[in-house]
Amino acid sequence: MNLDPINLPKFFLLIVFGFFILGLILVSINAHFQKFRLVLIGVLLFGLLALFATLVNGFSFAQFFGAFGRNTGLLAYVGLSVLLLGTALTGRKMFLQRVIYALIGVSLFNLGYAILQWLGLDPVEWANPYNAIVGTLGNPNFTSALLGMGAIGLLTLILERMNFLARIIWSIVLALMLFISYESDAIQGLGVFAIGALFVIYFRFIRRINPVLRLSYFVIIIAGLFLSVLGIFQRGPFASALYQDSVTYRGDYWRAGWAMTIDRPIFGVGMDQYGDWYRASRTEAATLRRGPDVTSNSAHN
């Protein structure tokens, strides 16, 4: 726990609940097979590919449990696949509403903890090389994205199910989510919220109005997304606001991952083995940009 206090607890819960859900799925699979056969077949094929990738590249502890600090090996993907199946089999409207409530609840908990970190009152002395706002996820990018998703869920409730006073109070909470996301120095949360809010506004208001106005709305969205993508890649009018050095580094990671894909196109390099192949696959420019000792164990794609 002292060495990996973030991923191991999540990994533990994923596997425990994943196998519990797997038991429930196996008991009722005959009743659901016809309706969900494409999902079942797709997950089965993915599982077989992951298993073959593990065996072909030499079955190992690291491939089964995942790289240290990541824990996204074969076992993790089995757990995630089971969650996908469980969600498909139980994904009724009431269930999805509960998922939204749970997402908002988790986001609010992280918001409270992130505020303590922003104020310098974090009771935990993390060995943290990032911005102080890492929430319970150990990374400002992850926390920012979580707050952005929670803010989307909260926005749907504010627009649909609250009286005036409740809307005022929860709007302040939503604004606080976005503020803390901004203070984390990670753009993910604001970007996620902006895209989600556009869809929420469309389904709540825009789809009921004149078709010409609907078309204008989509034209504006597409233009905004195009300019935002340009800004992320240091182009266009939004470059100063959206570009971060980490985008360039991610480009280096993506190119290394693509080189691994070209070299081993069928079974790859093994589950969670990107870090073992990064030095051999990165470009000369990537080596010179940050120095030969800087490596990565994830493609960050």
Side-chain angles (χ1 to χ4, degrees):
M1 291 293 292
N2 289 331
L3 293 175
D4 189 2
I6 299 297
N7 283 290
L8 283 180
K10 292 191 294 183
F11 179 66
F12 173 77
L13 292 174
L14 170 65
I15 301 309
V16 170
F17 285 105
F19 277 89
F20 175 76
I21 295 171
L22 179 60
L24 298 178
I25 291 174
L26 293 176
V27 169
S28 60
I29 194 169
N30 290 332
H32 298 288
F33 180 77
Q34 289 300 321
K35 187 175 181 180
F36 297 100
R37 61 182 179 276
L38 291 179
V39 178
L40 290 166
I41 293 172
V43 170
L44 180 61
L45 291 175
F46 172 78
L48 289 174
L49 181 62
L51 178 61
F52 288 147
T54 303
L55 297 176
V56 168
N57 289 285
F59 184 85
S60 64
F61 180 94
Q63 285 204 72
F64 187 69
F65 289 103
F68 181 78
R70 295 288 179 186
N71 295 114
T72 47
L74 177 64
L75 194 56
Y77 279 104
V78 169
L80 292 169
S81 299
V82 169
L83 288 184
L84 170 63
L85 284 179
T87 303
L89 298 178
T90 60
R92 306 299 182 266
K93 185 175 181 180
M94 182 62 71
F95 174 80
L96 296 177
Q97 288 176 347
R98 290 172 179 170
V99 170
I100 292 175
Y101 293 144
L103 175 62
I104 294 173
V106 171
S107 300
L108 290 175
F109 179 84
N110 265 274
L111 173 64
Y113 187 30
I115 290 174
L116 290 178
Q117 294 174 329
W118 179 63
L119 294 173
L121 301 175
D122 192 342
V124 180
E125 295 183 3
W126 299 102
N128 175 19
Y130 309 110
N131 181 290
I133 300 174
V134 296
T136 64
L137 303 178
N139 186 303
N141 296 312
F142 301 163
T143 298
S144 175
L146 174 63
L147 292 176
M149 291 188 289
I152 295 171
L154 189 56
L155 178 64
T156 62
L157 299 185
I158 291 172
L159 293 177
E160 294 184 6
R161 300 187 179 185
M162 295 182 179
N163 58 40
F164 179 76
L165 180 60
R167 285 180 175 177
I168 295 297
I169 295 173
W170 285 107
S171 294
I172 294 173
V173 175
L174 189 152
L176 194 56
M177 281 184 170
L178 298 180
F179 172 75
I180 292 297
S181 179
Y182 173 79
E183 286 294 307
S184 70
D185 293 332
I187 64 173
Q188 282 89 333
L190 298 178
V192 164
F193 176 76
I195 294 173
L198 290 173
F199 282 99
V200 171
I201 292 171
Y202 173 78
F203 285 109
R204 187 69 178 87
F205 303 108
I206 304 298
R207 68 173 177 173
R208 304 174 183 176
I209 62 179
N210 186 289
V212 175
L213 294 178
R214 288 205 303 267
L215 179 61
S216 300
Y217 183 77
F218 280 112
V219 169
I220 293 172
I221 289 176
I222 293 172
L225 289 175
F226 178 73
L227 291 175
S228 297
V229 171
L230 286 180
I232 290 173
F233 289 98
Q234 210 173 4
R235 299 287 188 275
F238 300 148
S240 60
L242 296 177
Y243 175 76
Q244 294 179 331
D245 290 339
S246 61
V247 174
T248 299
Y249 305 150
R250 278 171 169 76
D252 292 334
Y253 303 150
W254 298 346
R255 282 183 284 272
W258 183 244
M260 299 176 205
T261 303
I262 297 300
D263 290 340
R264 303 170 72 90
I266 300 177
F267 295 115
V269 296
M271 300 299 290
D272 223 13
Q273 298 301 288
Y274 175 95
D276 290 346
W277 288 76
Y278 175 70
R279 290 179 187 270
S281 303
R282 65 185 173 185
T283 63
E284 180 181 355
T287 306
L288 296 175
R289 195 183 329 274
R290 304 185 71 192
D293 294 329
V294 177
T295 63
S296 174
N297 60 3
S298 171
H300 291 78
N301 52 348

